[in-house]
Amino acid sequence: MLTRKHFKQFAAQLSEERPASRDTSKEFKTWIGCCKAVVVVCNESNPNFDWHRFLDACGVPDKHNH
């Protein structure tokens, strides 16, 4: 089972990979998709997973955090 420690490591790495381009760019949208794909796996691995908190830790803007 994945733990909070794993979630923090994933979020830190995804945060580092955040593109500098605007949030309407293809690169940014692809990054958002990757973050959300990790959310699916984490959520399946641990019933206590908080996906809102995870996406916030990744740096995903609130408007994309749904």
Side-chain angles (χ1 to χ4, degrees), residues 13-32 58-59 61:
Q13 187 61 45
L14 286 164
S15 178
E16 288 182 26
E17 298 299 323
R18 181 181 174 162
S21 57
R22 296 180 50 190
D23 68 348
T24 57
S25 73
K26 182 176 180 177
E27 182 182 27
F28 194 85
K29 290 177 182 177
T30 300
W31 174 77
I32 294 278
C58 290

Side-chain angles (χ1 to χ4, degrees), residues 34-51:
C34 290
C35 292
K36 289 184 176 182
V38 172
V39 162
V40 171
V41 174
C42 292
N43 194 50
E44 290 175 356
S45 171
N46 188 325
N48 296 319
F49 178 71
D50 183 343
W51 62 273

